Amino acid sequence: LLGNYPRRDIVDWPRSERDGFVMTESNSVVEAFNCRNLAEMAVIAAGLSKYDEAKDYEARAAAAKVEFRRKFINPETRLVRGGEGVEHYSLHANVAALAFGLVPKEDVAKVVEYIDGKGMACSVYFAQYFLEALCEAGRFDLAVKYMAASGDRSWKGMIDFGSTISMEAW
């Protein structure tokens, strides 16, 4: 969104963990991480007493958030597209936007409902963002529901399989 530098897709691998995410040049998950990183850089700069840099990062983060919403949130569905010009609404796009504070307050309930309807359609790696998104939305009840779930796509499933640590894949 801001700056001329190459970005790489960071959406789940393999394909079975992507919820049909459409890889595009303008990718909402990559841009959501960019927005989050700019905001975090502002905090780091302030912590280092580099207040001018902190203000610059804050301004860049605010501008990136506005641009993110313009490019990726469908004004009719209020859901987050996977990329600019894409009409697919993956779990990943909506989770990243919600976890990183990019979803407008009036749309949070709609995005939470969408995410909950998809379930854990992501990898173990992306599950942390799934839980973070639910917690950021104040839906601790749903986060606990997924943490305590059983089945193949759950941490209990890993325990039932015999693992003593979090496995790399469900």
Side-chain angles (χ1 to χ4, degrees):
L1 295 173
L2 298 174
N4 271 336
Y5 50 90
R7 294 185 175 93
R8 301 283 187 247
D9 286 311
I10 54 174
V11 178
D12 274 337
W13 302 98
R15 286 185 190 276
S16 62
E17 301 292 353
R18 293 189 210 163
D19 186 36
F21 191 89
V22 178
M23 302 293 185
T24 64
E25 188 68 28
S26 183
N27 175 321
S28 62
V29 174
V30 173
E31 295 300 347
F33 273 92
N34 182 50
C35 290
R36 172 74 165 255
N37 292 340
L38 289 169
E40 289 177 348
M41 286 300 296
V43 172
I44 292 169
L48 295 172
S49 301
K50 297 184 176 218
Y51 301 112
D52 289 341
E53 288 181 34
K55 284 182 183 180
D56 178 56
Y57 279 117
E58 286 171 4
R60 291 171 63 191
K65 183 177 184 175
V66 168
E67 186 68 3
F68 181 93
R69 289 177 173 179
R70 184 190 68 75
K71 276 184 161 182
F72 302 118
I73 297 179
N74 182 321
E76 294 172 15
T77 67
R78 306 311 303 164
L79 296 174
V80 182
R81 297 177 173 102
E84 191 173 12
V86 172
E87 289 304 317
H88 182 263
Y89 305 90
S90 73
L91 174 77
H92 300 74
N94 285 275
V95 161
L98 186 59
F100 301 158
L102 301 171
V103 174
K105 287 182 183 179
E106 63 271 16
D107 298 334
V108 167
K110 173 101 175 163
V111 172
V112 167
E113 179 183 2
Y114 185 76
I115 288 170
D116 186 33
K118 288 278 190 173
M120 196 68 74
C122 59
S123 69
V124 174
Y125 162 76
F126 209 81
Q128 83 174 45
Y129 299 108
F130 179 92
L131 297 173
E132 185 177 340
L134 294 173
C135 291
E136 286 295 324
R139 293 303 307 269
F140 302 102
D141 59 321
L142 288 177
V144 170
K145 175 183 105 171
Y146 285 101
M147 285 188 280
S150 59
D152 290 343
R153 299 181 78 75
S154 71
W155 290 276
K156 183 172 181 318
M158 291 181 198
I159 293 168
D160 291 345
F161 185 74
S163 182
T164 58
I165 62 169
S166 183
M167 295 166 45
E168 187 174 341
W170 298 118

